[in-house]
Amino acid sequence: MLSAEANAATDNPLVFEKATATRRAGELVVSGGNFHGQPVSQALDLLAIACAQLQAISERRVEQLVNPSLSGLRRFLAETPV
């Protein structure tokens, strides 16, 4: 998606109409690369939300595993708890 947005024709190119010795009028077009970034930013925002949710789930699972009152296992899964 990023390459499609970056290569899209949504920027405002600069068209120079003044003729020079080597160029006819209107031949020089300079792209500013100012693509519309909203689709890319929305996708990355959703990715950040998904990563935060995955982290929260992982943290709870680790807590349930190493907490002896929840799992019934030794404290921190150590042979000799401190």
Side-chain angles (χ1 to χ4, degrees):
M1 180 175 67
L2 182 60
S3 65
E5 285 297 322
N7 293 319
T10 57
D11 72 345
N12 297 319
L14 301 173
V15 179
F16 295 98
E17 293 193 22
K18 184 177 179 183
T20 64
T22 58
R23 245 186 226 111
R24 294 188 314 241
E27 263 189 8
L28 181 60
V29 178
V30 179
S31 175
N34 300 320
F35 66 93
H36 186 60
Q38 182 182 4
V40 176
S41 66
Q42 285 179 333
L44 292 176
D45 281 347
L46 289 176
L47 179 63
I49 291 169
C51 287
Q53 285 290 70
L54 181 63
Q55 177 273 328
I57 292 168
S58 297
E59 187 273 333
R60 287 288 88 206
R61 292 180 78 182
V62 169
E63 169 62 18
Q64 289 178 356
L65 181 65
V66 299
N67 190 338
S69 64
L70 297 173
S71 67
L73 300 172
R74 292 188 177 118
R75 188 173 172 198
F76 299 116
L77 304 176
E79 186 69 35
T80 55
V82 188

